[in-house]
Amino acid sequence: MVRTAVAASVLVLCLSASTVSTALNGGVEAIAPERLFPDARFDPAVPSPDRVLGVGLGRRPLRPAEVVAYLRALAEASPLATIVPYATSHEGRPLVALAISDAETIAGLDAFREAHLRALDPRGRDEAADRAALDGAKAVAWMAYGIHGDELSSVDAAVALAYRLVAGTDERARALRSDLVILVDPCENPDGRERYLAMTTAFAHAGANPDSEDLSHTAVWPWGRGNHYLFDLNRDWFTRVQPESGRSAAIAGWLPQLVVDSHEMEADSTYLFPPARAPFNPFLGPHHVEWWNRFSADQARALDALGFPYFTREWNEEFFPGYGSSWASYHGGVGILYEMSRTSGTLVRKRGGTLRTFAQAIEHQTASSMANLETLRENRAALLRDQVGARRAAVRRALDGPFRAYVFPADPRRPARLRAFGALLASQGIEVRWLAGPVSLGGLHDLRSGAEVRLDLAPGSLAVPLDQPAGSLARVVLDPHVPMPASFLREEREYLERGRGTRLYDTTAWSLPLLAGIDAYWTSSPPGGSWAAAEPPRGAPASPETAAGAVALVLDADPDAAAAALAAMLADGVTVRVAKKPFRIGAREFGRGAMVVRLEGNPEDVVERVRRAAGAHGLTAVAVGTSRAAEGPDLGGAEFPVLVAPRIGVLTGMPVSPSAYGAIWHLLDAVVATRFSGLDVARLRGADLARYNVLVLPAAFGGPEAYARALGPDGVERLRRWVEAGGTAVGIASGARFLAAETTGLTKARMRAEALDAFPPAVLGITAEEAEAAGPMRGAGLRPPPEPEGEGGNAPSAKKDRAKPEPRTSPYDVAPRIGAGAAPFVAGVDLGTPVSGPPVPLASWLRPTLPAGRKEPTPEEMKGADARLRRFMPQGALLRVDLDPEQWLVWGLGEHATAWVGEDDTLVAVPPVDVPARFAALERLHLGGLLWPEAEARIAETAYVTREAVGRGQVVLFADSPAYRGWMRETSRMLENAVLLGPGLGTDWSAPW
């Protein structure tokens, strides 16, 4: 057991916070443990929260430091609990779980955990032996609270639950400790919670205000949902971009049978918990639905006893595997989601008149937690057997099915990328194997193209065998596409056609190798060769080449850390040039984007500065003793322009999306490590824009109109003059829409919806007549039949332009489009009826529905038809983009990249606008996720990135977020290039005098 004294300074801080905040929000009552747990008896030697913290539960939300202080006090006071640290937040706050069980188990907790993991590995044991191995064993629960910082009640409930479980002397508490190991993870997002509590405390009244529109409830931008960098941590469980997501590694090290994930939702709702609704991820397994129903029934009885209303099976679905209630389920456990109506730490008057208090919210969460723990205890043997059965089934599925292993070849250009990828998988309990010696393998299927190839693999290649207990998790995070059943797809189509919005709650694509830009293959047989669990020793780092007699130092652009090294050199006063064409000096070949530092014109210690920057990021600076290239341009020529150090501003504040800003903030701050300024949009009209040579406009709430309103005509004009004077404006998603708007007047690139006259989309999908029938009911009167062929009208044109549609049972029976690489992963799955024939022009598609005698649709009819197509744009799909290698925005990448797409429009552009990255053609576009045929035809061969000179400056547009959730390695590089290379390469800047 860890026995940690509660630091006096922490308690002083806690009591100080208590004194300040309890002077406000009068009328909010605390809730005594006796009310929360009327059947409990407590050990007086174990301190209650109010004794340690000086504030009763429910009187006000506890601060993160108070929560940790109290858990440490419990661990110090009782042998029934110990602290399990697992991460530290960006702002330095500890993330811990409190492990609770009987004293003997707590004293030997590591030994228990290791034995527990062995028991859950079915290999080497037949199914008949499971009962002997598992009956009588303890089950494990991981109870997680407060992953969104502005969802307050669950964290205080976690403190109450910890007290109940540790201090309880009654039979219920003893039984739970005897039969379970319970890990209470009380505050998953301390930085976000601290930010939100600072706001609500600052805006508090002398008496608590129950109006949910009051500032004490709403707070201000960026609120508290995200962590320090505004990331939604409940989307980061398997990508682990943020440090707080170290909890997934901790949970993988425990393999709990129950994971509770406690949240809050809108104030006017009630309380939600499982079962979930469709779509269900096919890798979850059938036992999850059975156990959701069992846990739900017991939880419902507990809430009924308190008279609390609730609901199930409405909006929460379990398709995306990156939620807290989802991720652990792929290890075979059961995930339970709570969603409590928010009170913002005080009280709320609902629309129906009900007054909901913070104390009642805590009561919902604690009652649910105790009910779930009781269900786990009573059914622990069956749950353990079902979890082992699910893990055994994962092994069997690989042995009996077509997908036996994934193989990822070593990449000498970017070795760090594969190492990080392997570590990411291993950290969450997925077994990986590293190649020790070279081997040639056939029967490998390319994850992107579907082509079967033979490859010569070098040492350091990676394999993931799928016949492992974590095979379901491996499949769900590695497969390029996870299919949805036709039954749900028909429901989704009906919602979209009738204008009711999507039924999907999150992205439909997330394949880790596609996100990371790693070459990936699957095989139906075990890969031959010498594979080991440990990564082979890395070769000794290249010894620095002597700079004696050197004329320049050269760094490759290919490694992911090249952008960070460049930023460091520019910040250190190094003059850096960049190669516009490939070149070779001696035996060394360098590609476009290679960084060249001439000794001439640089500080005397430039070699030391360059090597310091390179070494900090794992790169090698190659010293060359000649400017004469054996191939390609010589180093002293015009093909090596000098770069300009960026002075970056990123627009922030309302109406900018916090998560969109946070992704850019994290990329520039934590990945590239370059200085930038966050510029409040509301103050931009008065800002000195001359300080900056790059301005980034992230996605905004309210679309491009929100930027136009915030800046006003004068602000837009100031922005235009700044660009014309030499600035680089980078627009992303709705930021791109704003810059591309004709009213802004900055670029000839346009969003497709605003350029239908010049770039009307093609239509692939059901007919216009079917779409009319599928949409909302119309009251337009009887439409006459079309005029006979040869007697005027539009029948001949329609017949020529349109292919015969596939027979379908309803207009909602439409299969999504599946790319060649994803096709093997949907084999045998009913997706609905595919559409057939080539895409047709939008005007031709509309003609059969036009009034008799009219041959062409009006502009408004074209807009209406295009608006329908936009309903089918991806909610989050992974699409292929083709790259123009001569364009500096894509230097450091290959010929193709993967882009995440969730916007409902795309860019169209022709010369003089440059298109460095363009969405691929129809047959190559889809890599993963739900892509309707209407979206495929509308997106194919449009622009993902555009760049246009404007005066002495330039405008760079991204159709969607290149740094989405910190996931997208390849498109993030394009954004890095935009801000680091753009001021030097894309603008006409003045030379020094």
Side-chain angles (χ1 to χ4, degrees):
M1 184 184 75
V2 175
R3 293 187 174 271
T4 307
V6 179
S9 59
V10 172
L11 283 178
V12 168
L13 285 172
C14 295
L15 295 174
S16 175
S18 171
T19 302
V20 171
S21 57
T22 51
L24 301 168
N25 289 324
V28 179
E29 299 298 327
I31 182 169
E34 292 76 17
R35 175 181 156 191
L36 281 175
F37 311 109
D39 60 339
R41 296 188 304 275
F42 296 102
D43 181 352
V46 178
S48 62
D50 61 314
R51 280 173 53 193
V52 174
L53 304 176
V55 59
L57 284 171
R59 178 67 183 85
R60 62 162 177 82
L62 297 175
R63 301 275 180 173
E66 293 175 303
V67 173
V68 175
Y70 181 65
L71 263 58
R72 293 191 187 281
L74 285 177
E76 178 67 20
S78 173
L80 305 176
T82 188
I83 294 290
V84 179
Y86 65 82
T88 302
S89 75
H90 282 291
E91 296 176 14
R93 295 185 174 89
L95 288 104
V96 304
L98 184 72
I100 304 165
S101 191
D102 59 81
E104 182 181 358
T105 302
I106 293 298
L109 194 61
D110 286 341
F112 167 84
R113 186 181 64 82
E114 291 170 3
H116 177 75
L117 295 179
R118 287 194 299 271
L120 292 177
D121 188 340
R123 292 172 295 188
R125 183 178 75 220
D126 61 33
E127 200 165 348
D130 283 349
R131 185 176 297 275
L134 299 171
D135 280 5
K138 288 179 182 285
V140 175
W142 187 285
M143 314 291 284
Y145 303 90
I147 201 165
H148 295 140
D150 56 359
E151 299 174 3
L152 299 178
S153 62
S154 72
V155 172
D156 298 78
V159 168
L161 179 70
Y163 175 59
R164 172 73 178 94
L165 295 173
V166 176
T169 60
D170 52 277
E171 181 55 34
R172 190 181 188 192
R174 285 200 299 268
L176 288 172
R177 293 192 300 262
S178 174
D179 295 336
L180 305 177
V181 171
I182 304 161
L183 294 115
V184 178
D185 183 359
C187 188
E188 300 170 275
N189 181 6
D191 294 354
R193 182 177 177 91
E194 189 65 40
R195 181 172 65 250
Y196 186 70
L197 289 180
M199 295 182 195
T200 54
T201 301
F203 302 139
H205 299 272
N209 189 336
D211 181 3
S212 61
E213 298 297 331
D214 182 72
L215 198 58
S216 64
H217 289 274
T218 62
V220 294
W221 195 101
W223 308 287
R225 180 179 179 88
N227 71 342
H228 173 80
Y229 284 111
L230 311 182
F231 273 60
D232 187 335
L233 296 175
N234 201 38
R235 306 296 188 274
D236 194 42
W237 283 77
F238 64 85
T239 45
R240 294 197 56 201
V241 174
Q242 299 298 304
E244 296 91 339
S245 299
R247 74 175 44 83
S248 59
I251 293 174
W254 278 96
L255 293 182
Q257 287 63 66
L258 171 67
V259 174
V260 162
D261 180 29
S262 189
H263 292 256
E264 288 185 343
M265 56 184 169
E266 65 274 10
D268 280 315
S269 193
T270 58
Y271 192 64
L272 173 142
F273 50 93
R277 63 156 175 83
F280 298 103
N281 195 296
F283 292 104
L284 272 176
H287 77 284
H288 288 90
V289 175
E290 175 189 340
W291 284 113
W292 281 334
N293 288 328
R294 183 80 61 86
F295 278 91
S296 177
D298 293 343
Q299 189 170 341
R301 281 191 288 272
L303 293 171
D304 286 339
L306 296 170
F308 288 146
Y310 53 81
F311 62 98
T312 65
R313 296 164 294 185
E314 279 196 19
W315 53 261
N316 66 307
E317 43 94 341
E318 287 288 343
F319 187 74
F320 174 61
Y323 308 129
S325 58
S326 306
W327 175 85
S329 299
Y330 299 95
H331 275 299
V334 176
I336 301 291
L337 171 72
Y338 305 163
E339 291 277 357
M340 176 64 207
S341 57
R342 71 171 62 228
T343 63
S344 300
T346 55
L347 70 174
V348 166
R349 180 80 63 186
K350 298 174 182 287
R351 285 186 178 274
T354 302
L355 187 70
R356 176 68 69 226
T357 68
F358 184 51
Q360 289 171 327
I362 295 172
E363 197 169 5
H364 279 75
Q365 310 276 31
T366 53
S368 296
S369 298
M370 288 296 292
N372 287 167
L373 289 172
E374 289 282 10
T375 305
L376 173 64
R377 187 188 70 80
E378 292 168 3
N379 298 277
R380 61 192 183 280
L383 279 157
L384 283 161
R385 287 196 297 270
D386 278 356
Q387 184 168 17
V388 170
R391 292 163 68 77
R392 178 179 282 109
V395 176
R396 187 180 304 117
R397 180 176 55 239
L399 294 175
D400 298 341
F403 306 104
R404 188 65 180 271
Y406 275 98
V407 175
F408 308 95
D411 182 355
R413 299 179 305 157
R414 304 180 183 94
R417 186 180 289 186
L418 190 60
R419 289 197 295 267
F421 178 75
L424 173 63
L425 298 180
S427 71
Q428 49 196 305
I430 297 173
E431 296 173 2
V432 301
R433 297 289 182 265
W434 296 92
L435 185 61
V439 67
S440 179
L441 291 183
L444 299 178
H445 301 264
D446 191 305
L447 203 68
R448 292 168 174 82
S449 70
E452 184 173 344
V453 299
R454 170 173 288 276
L455 294 178
D456 294 327
L457 300 180
S461 296
L462 180 71
V464 177
L466 296 173
D467 55 334
Q468 60 169 293
S472 292
L473 180 61
R475 286 289 305 275
V476 84
V477 300
L478 296 176
D479 283 7
H481 181 81
V482 178
M484 297 174 181
S487 57
F488 174 77
L489 294 171
R490 284 193 292 271
E491 179 183 343
E492 175 75 355
R493 289 283 303 193
E494 182 172 1
Y495 266 66
L496 295 175
E497 289 283 18
R498 298 182 69 83
R500 297 168 62 186
T502 181
R503 293 280 280 164
L504 293 166
Y505 194 69
D506 210 277
T507 183
T508 63
W510 52 79
S511 171
L512 288 178
L514 296 182
L515 305 187
I518 289 173
D519 290 340
Y521 301 84
W522 61 268
T523 176
S524 56
S525 59
S530 176
W531 301 88
E535 183 181 359
R538 303 175 194 174
S543 57
E545 299 179 33
T546 177
V551 299
L553 299 171
V554 185
L555 290 81
D556 277 314
D558 287 342
D560 292 334
L566 172 60
M569 289 188 291
L570 293 174
D572 203 18
V574 177
T575 298
V576 182
R577 298 171 184 272
V578 64
K580 295 172 67 175
K581 294 182 179 180
F583 65 99
R584 177 171 64 85
I585 295 182
R588 296 296 297 263
E589 295 183 352
F590 300 94
R592 290 184 175 90
M595 295 164 280
V596 176
V597 178
R598 297 178 188 167
L599 271 60
E600 181 188 61
N602 263 301
E604 290 186 1
D605 63 346
V606 66
V607 173
E608 179 184 347
R609 298 188 192 193
V610 170
R611 286 186 170 158
R612 182 167 59 237
H617 296 95
L619 305 182
T620 299
V622 179
V624 296
T626 178
S627 292
R628 183 66 182 268
E631 292 181 11
D634 295 331
L635 299 192
E639 301 296 341
F640 296 88
V642 67
L643 296 179
V644 173
R647 304 187 305 276
I648 307 165
V650 180
L651 272 56
T652 187
M654 281 296 290
V656 173
S657 159
S659 60
Y661 173 74
I664 299 167
W665 180 13
H666 180 262
L667 179 71
L668 298 181
D669 212 40
V671 178
V672 180
T674 189
R675 174 183 167 184
F676 79 95
S677 296
L679 305 177
D680 192 337
V681 175
R683 302 177 62 187
L684 196 67
R685 279 182 281 184
D688 180 7
L689 296 185
R691 294 185 178 196
Y692 312 102
N693 54 20
V694 178
L695 289 179
V696 181
L697 285 71
F701 297 132
E705 297 80 9
Y707 270 123
R709 287 191 299 269
L711 294 178
D714 291 345
V716 173
E717 177 60 20
R718 288 190 71 227
L719 180 62
R720 184 185 62 78
R721 292 198 302 267
W722 174 84
V723 172
E724 291 176 343
T728 295
V730 181
I732 297 171
S734 50
R737 294 189 189 195
F738 166 68
L739 294 177
E742 188 173 358
T743 53
T744 308
L746 273 172
T747 175
K748 296 180 179 64
R750 290 285 180 268
M751 303 310 296
R752 187 161 215 167
E754 297 183 356
L756 296 178
D757 54 341
F759 303 100
V763 183
L764 186 63
I766 62 176
T767 66
E769 299 100 318
E770 289 177 304
E772 270 195 1
M777 187 177 292
R778 295 166 176 254
L782 184 65
R783 173 183 289 140
E787 298 180 27
E789 186 173 341
E791 297 184 15
N794 53 23
S797 175
K799 182 176 181 181
K800 180 180 69 174
D801 288 339
R802 296 172 59 214
K804 182 179 179 180
E806 286 280 339
R808 60 188 75 253
T809 57
S810 86
Y812 310 122
D813 176 29
V814 178
R817 303 287 281 191
I818 302 296
F825 298 88
V826 301
V829 179
D830 179 16
L831 301 177
T833 304
V835 297
S836 61
V840 299
L842 183 59
S844 300
W845 183 84
L846 270 170
R847 284 187 187 119
T849 65
L850 299 179
R854 183 145 64 81
K855 298 181 179 181
E856 297 299 329
T858 66
E860 287 304 313
E861 288 168 334
M862 292 282 283
K863 287 181 180 179
D866 185 63
R868 172 189 170 270
L869 297 181
R870 288 167 60 191
R871 295 179 198 163
F872 293 92
M873 295 294 276
Q875 295 299 310
L878 296 175
L879 305 181
R880 185 195 304 267
V881 292
D882 297 330
L883 309 181
D884 180 351
E886 295 188 0
Q887 298 285 339
W888 53 267
L889 276 159
V890 300
W891 286 348
L893 300 169
E895 297 179 353
H896 315 287
T898 300
W900 182 90
V901 179
E903 283 286 306
D904 70 351
D905 208 353
T906 189
L907 289 161
V908 287
V910 295
V913 181
D914 295 329
V915 180
R918 182 181 68 184
F919 288 109
L922 281 176
E923 65 276 6
R924 299 172 52 253
L925 181 63
H926 177 263
L927 295 174
L930 178 57
L931 182 66
W932 294 115
E934 290 85 353
E936 183 187 44
R938 196 176 185 280
I939 295 171
E941 299 187 44
T942 61
Y944 176 70
V945 178
T946 67
R947 180 263 167 199
E948 182 181 1
V950 178
R952 301 181 66 181
Q954 64 185 333
V955 174
V956 176
L957 304 179
F958 287 85
D960 213 326
S961 173
Y964 179 73
R965 293 182 177 173
W967 288 1
M968 308 306 300
R969 183 58 261 161
E970 292 171 307
T971 52
S972 288
R973 180 60 183 273
M974 298 180 201
L975 180 56
E976 294 167 3
N977 286 348
V979 298
L980 294 177
L981 305 183
L985 295 186
T987 64
D988 182 12
W989 47 274
S990 299
W993 66 286

